[in-house]
Amino acid sequence: MKKLVPAVLLAAAAAPAFAHPGHDTTTLTAGLVHPLGLDHLLAMVAVGLWSAAAFSGVRRLAGPALFMTALLAGAVAGAAGWGHALVEPAIAASVVVLGVMLAFARRLPAAAGLVLVAVAGSLHGLAHGAELPAAGGFAAYAAGFLAATALLHGAGLAAAPRLLALPAVVWRALSGGVALAGLMLLARA
């Protein structure tokens, strides 16, 4: 855990240069790096944290699996031209929603949480797909962003037991920090 937090913070600090328009979207490496932008990083780790807080056992994988399925579907739709100007503010808003979901993870009905996770995944996917050039390498790029997404979800799942063991006020402060970061991203979108 002590090594995970600095690594995530370092990646978040370095990643805005790669976030969204104007970066390579044709390679596996580009796909691996893209989710390290602050908006994607917060959302994907939050999904892992929420899923671990909301479910037990193998069911904890429901949130990440649904997010990745919706992410890929959204990317296909975005590559087909379904992306629009409101996708960036919607992604920022999804970070706010995921932060709030973390704060109320054990009180939010699982079905409602999974719907919100799917919507967030599809929005993040639209952004990924809309960035592809007409002659883009969708398969390699998609493999990269799906692998990075799985790793970020895994980081959230792995960190959750220790974070959930902290006093509730600390969990709420972390959740509020995610929501606040989403509001800051929304203000910039």
Side-chain angles (χ1 to χ4, degrees):
M1 179 67 174
K2 289 180 183 177
K3 292 180 182 178
L4 175 65
V5 172
V8 168
L9 291 175
L10 181 61
F18 301 108
H20 300 241
H23 63 90
D24 177 24
T25 57
T26 60
T27 65
L28 176 69
T29 303
L32 285 167
V33 171
H34 183 89
L36 299 181
L38 188 60
D39 52 356
H40 297 303
L41 184 139
L42 287 172
M44 293 167 189
V45 171
V47 167
L49 287 169
W50 174 80
S51 206
F55 299 107
S56 60
V58 74
R59 290 185 59 204
R60 294 178 313 137
L61 299 176
L66 185 58
F67 186 96
M68 290 182 61
T69 301
L71 179 73
L72 184 57
V76 169
W82 290 17
H84 54 77
L86 296 178
V87 105
E88 290 300 323
I91 287 172
S94 78
V95 175
V96 175
V97 168
L98 289 166
V100 172
M101 285 174 59
L102 285 176
F104 299 100
R106 294 196 170 134
R107 289 187 237 155
L108 179 68
L114 289 172
V115 167
L116 293 170
V117 164
V119 170
S122 65
L123 291 169
H124 286 262
L126 275 173
H128 291 324
E131 296 166 349
L132 287 170
F138 183 83
Y141 184 61
F145 70 68
L146 286 169
T149 297
L151 289 172
L152 292 169
H153 288 325
L157 287 166
R162 287 188 182 202
L163 294 175
L164 287 166
L166 296 172
V169 68
V170 175
W171 176 261
R172 293 270 166 89
L174 292 170
S175 304
V178 171
L180 181 60
L183 287 172
M184 291 170 47
L185 291 166
L186 189 57
R188 290 185 0 196

